[in-house]
Amino acid sequence: MYTLHCDSPLGGILLAADEAGLTGLWFEGEKYFANILGPEQQERETPALQRTKRWLDVYFSGREPDFTPPLHPVGSPFRRAVWELLLQIPYGQTTTYGALAQQLAAKQGKTRMSAQAVGGAVGHNEISIIIPCHRVVGTSGSLTGYAGGIEKKVRLLQLEHVDMSRFFVPTKGTAI
């Protein structure tokens, strides 16, 4: 496992990759920070980490990157299915946990899927920003839940020029 620290307009970021691709992208200090990293890791700029750094430079310049670095998300089949759906959310757009649950249910031939279960998988996405969990909002417009913090979620959506007028930051609850 290889790691690389880089700076962003929203604070420090830790990247992690193995030989197959990017396995983690975390804001320093976020919930679940680097929780998949074992004690054996080297700070080294691999090709996957270089491409990720270039992707982040393009993204934080306010443009949509026209490439995706090699990704190697590690998780259960359910979580990986949810993360695949996240990758389909277009830049500058949002969806809801409920809509993702409906998509996943349809894809798996089920009549329904728990939005809470989908929310749990979204919340445990280890490759934030690139697998865009920040683009998922509550059905009511609540900007609920983001491991990097609600402030960062708001700033990422603003960077993508999302119309924020229909969203609000919850003032109480477990997802703030």
Side-chain angles (χ1 to χ4, degrees), residues 84-96:
E84 279 298 318
L85 291 177
L86 294 178
L87 284 166
Q88 296 170 23
I89 306 168
Y91 179 92
Q93 295 183 33
T94 60
T95 192
T96 65

Side-chain angles (χ1 to χ4, degrees), residues 10 27 97 122 133-138 142-146 148-159 164:
L10 301 183
F27 285 107
Y97 296 97
V122 171
C133 50
H134 62 280
R135 296 181 189 151
V136 183
V137 300
S142 173
L143 293 174
T144 176
Y146 186 64
I150 296 292
E151 329 70 51
K152 285 186 176 74
K153 182 173 187 162
V154 168
R155 299 233 353 241
L156 292 169
L157 293 173
Q158 289 171 335
L159 181 70
M164 301 297 288

Side-chain angles (χ1 to χ4, degrees), residues 36-98:
I36 63 166
L37 291 182
E40 298 296 318
Q41 56 196 299
Q42 288 182 341
E43 178 92 11
R44 190 171 84 185
E45 197 164 312
T46 66
L49 295 174
Q50 288 172 333
R51 275 186 69 78
T52 302
K53 213 168 133 181
R54 198 165 85 242
W55 189 98
L56 289 169
D57 288 342
V58 171
Y59 181 83
F60 282 118
S61 76
R63 298 185 329 262
E64 178 181 3
D66 62 357
F67 66 96
T68 303
L71 304 177
H72 188 217
V74 178
S76 69
F78 176 79
R79 286 183 177 178
R80 288 195 316 270
V82 170
W83 300 336
E84 279 298 318
L85 291 177
L86 294 178
L87 284 166
Q88 296 170 23
I89 306 168
Y91 179 92
Q93 295 183 33
T94 60
T95 192
T96 65
Y97 296 97

